[in-house]
Amino acid sequence: MKVLLAFAGSRGDAQPGVLLGRELANRGHRVTVAVSPNLVEFAAAHGVSAVSFGLDSAELLRAQQADRRFAAWNPIERVRALRDLQRRGFSEAARDLLDISSDTDLLVTGMACEEVAAEVARRRGLPSAAMHFFPILPNRAVPVVPAAWGRRVPGVLNLLGWHALTRTRAWALAPEIAALRRGEADPKPVVSTAIQAYDAELFPGLEVQLGDAPVTGFPVVPDADGAAVLPDGELSKWLRAGDAPVYAGFGSMPMTDPLEVERMVREVCRRQGRRLLLAGGMFRAGISPDVAVVAQLDHRAVLPLCAVAIHHGGAGTTAAALRAGVPSVICSVQADQPFWGRQLETLGLGATLPFAHVTADRVEQLLIRATDPTVVLRASAYGMRFRDDGVARAATVVESLAPLDHPASLPNDPVTTLKIGGDR
């Protein structure tokens, strides 16, 4: 079976597609992974056939940060900002996917370009699947408002709210979809599946409301690929030389003042008498007795050696902290991040605050709450039961969508093996 995996967005958005591509290739399928132009090298370096589509994801992140409407009090302005962001690059992504899907049996995508991929699959008459890294299918269990009072919203209002958000996303892209459909013949009916790529246990009462939607778990590197190993060198020695540090890192999120962010987390850790491990290419690299700053690292290897993780709340980094059994302090920026922050706080697995509201005093209070012994024990207990077979289960779902006139696997195809670390 020939599978096209289209995963737009940041490195964290693309990595599940690369992992799934590796698994499907290992099962004998012919796989192509399409990612944002700035991430083709990242995907190809890990052994999958990679091509580009759409716009540079870093540019889109910067455009969102620069749009003041996302921080407006007026909800209409925020909706308009979301509409404009979703429309940006739609036609380019659709054109590219149409070109590279001409010889494809099945199309799989992520959340960042679900609507684009669905239209391409519909036009090509292909079965498709979308990996959801957070529960966005309409439901009663997940608060539609990621605020402290959101948990008091009645379930029926949550259901209505998620339906409204679904309709808003469709409305935002209606002109682009209409343009793509203009002049085409009636499409063939196709199968479309929403793979729930997270742990439904984190959302009590959700799984029974998902109907037939398969829940596969977080798409992480499995332990069967080998134990994560710390790189030799100064960082490895630093990690073993003292108490478990505070990890801080914000993935691909753009920052207007990285120096101020670094100063803030240094000050918070100094007040609490804790060592700091700060990760990110925007920070000044260097290692001293109390602070280590590195451009990037493997969460699977490092987070189990940390006391707590301060991060942006992307699904991949959230999963890495949960897997490591450490509490999270989530300073959310956008998209599903505030929902993850609020949910982990509700479950007693961490604390949260919007990144726009962070100060040294506020982050210190969150750090104190997240390192309370009861939170630490709860996070550790969850880490012990974390499942790492999410990618394999997702691959099985994808195989079940194979067209009847194509084999589920091609056992004589070469097998690609790769190791992946990193963040989302």
Side-chain angles (χ1 to χ4, degrees):
M1 181 170 64
K2 298 175 183 178
V3 186
L4 173 60
L5 303 168
F7 283 73
S10 68
R11 173 175 167 171
D13 294 305
Q15 182 162 304
V18 175
L19 286 171
L20 182 58
R22 183 277 307 272
E23 178 66 21
L24 289 168
N26 283 349
R27 296 185 183 197
H29 302 288
R30 298 188 180 102
V31 176
T32 299
V33 179
V35 294
S36 300
N38 53 310
L39 294 172
V40 171
E41 184 177 351
F42 159 74
H46 291 94
V48 296
S49 174
V51 297
S52 69
F53 82 109
L55 301 181
D56 186 303
S57 62
E59 291 182 7
L60 291 175
L61 285 171
R62 287 192 291 269
Q64 180 172 356
Q65 183 189 40
D67 193 336
R68 295 183 179 181
R69 293 177 298 172
F70 281 101
W73 288 101
N74 187 340
I76 295 176
E77 287 298 304
R78 294 200 298 272
V79 169
R80 287 173 176 168
L82 177 62
R83 175 199 62 191
D84 293 345
L85 183 68
Q86 284 192 295
R87 288 178 177 176
R88 187 174 303 192
F90 182 97
S91 59
E92 293 89 346
R95 179 197 63 219
D96 293 343
L97 282 184
L98 281 170
D99 288 343
I100 60 181
S101 63
S102 60
D103 188 28
T104 296
D105 301 320
L106 178 67
L107 177 57
V108 184
T109 188
M111 291 173 64
C113 61
E114 182 175 356
E115 292 82 6
V116 179
E119 280 303 305
V120 171
R122 189 190 62 82
R123 186 162 177 173
R124 290 289 188 198
L126 298 173
S128 66
M131 293 184 74
H132 289 182
F133 309 123
F134 181 83
I136 60 172
L137 290 180
N139 68 88
R140 298 169 181 264
V142 181
V144 72
V145 180
W149 56 269
R151 71 189 71 172
R152 299 194 297 271
V153 173
V156 66
L157 292 184
N158 286 326
L159 180 63
L160 292 173
W162 287 115
H163 274 298
L165 286 175
T166 299
R167 289 192 295 270
T168 298
R169 291 178 64 173
W171 162 80
L173 293 172
E176 282 70 22
I177 291 174
L180 189 63
R181 293 180 179 180
R182 190 173 297 126
E184 70 171 342
D186 291 337
K188 301 176 182 178
V190 295
V191 175
S192 180
T193 299
I195 299 172
Q196 307 304 293
Y198 52 82
D199 183 1
E201 178 192 339
L202 296 168
F203 305 93
L206 172 65
E207 193 161 7
V208 296
Q209 300 181 38
L210 292 175
D212 295 331
V215 180
T216 58
F218 288 111
V220 300
V221 180
D223 287 337
D225 277 15
V229 178
L230 284 172
D232 293 331
E234 196 174 359
L235 177 61
S236 180
K237 295 176 182 177
W238 183 87
L239 285 166
R240 294 187 173 96
D243 295 336
V246 171
Y247 166 83
F250 302 95
S252 303
M253 296 300 101
M255 294 184 179
T256 55
D257 193 349
L259 292 178
E260 175 57 24
V261 173
E262 180 179 341
R263 185 206 63 79
M264 179 193 67
V265 292
R266 281 176 178 264
E267 173 63 16
V268 168
C269 290
R270 184 195 63 78
R271 293 179 189 177
Q272 290 296 306
R274 293 181 177 274
R275 299 196 305 157
L276 169 65
L277 172 58
L278 181 61
M282 70 287 290
F283 304 118
R284 299 168 296 184
I287 296 180
S288 64
D290 295 325
V291 179
V293 184
V294 296
Q296 60 182 7
L297 45 73
D298 183 351
H299 284 154
R300 192 162 66 108
V302 170
L303 286 185
L305 303 177
C306 297
V308 62
I310 301 174
H311 58 95
H312 58 303
T317 308
T318 300
L322 289 168
R323 182 183 194 175
V326 300
S328 288
V329 171
I330 293 181
C331 303
S332 59
V333 179
Q334 62 181 15
D336 57 343
Q337 297 165 11
F339 292 94
W340 279 117
R342 190 58 57 189
Q343 195 64 21
L344 262 60
E345 184 171 84
T346 298
L347 296 173
L349 295 169
T352 189
L353 181 74
F355 186 86
H357 299 165
V358 301
T359 64
D361 290 342
R362 289 171 178 167
V363 173
E364 183 180 16
Q365 290 304 310
L366 295 181
L367 187 63
I368 291 171
R369 286 164 50 193
T371 53
D372 180 273
T374 58
V375 177
V376 172
L377 287 173
R378 195 176 292 117
S380 177
Y382 180 85
M384 294 178 67
R385 61 180 186 272
F386 185 97
R387 292 188 62 164
D388 70 347
D389 60 347
V391 172
R393 289 194 283 166
T396 298
V397 173
V398 170
E399 287 183 320
S400 74
L401 302 174
L404 295 178
D405 57 345
H406 289 80
S409 63
L410 301 171
N412 294 324
D413 277 9
V415 174
T416 302
T417 303
L418 56 117
K419 306 286 184 181
I420 298 180
D423 62 358
R424 179 179 190 263

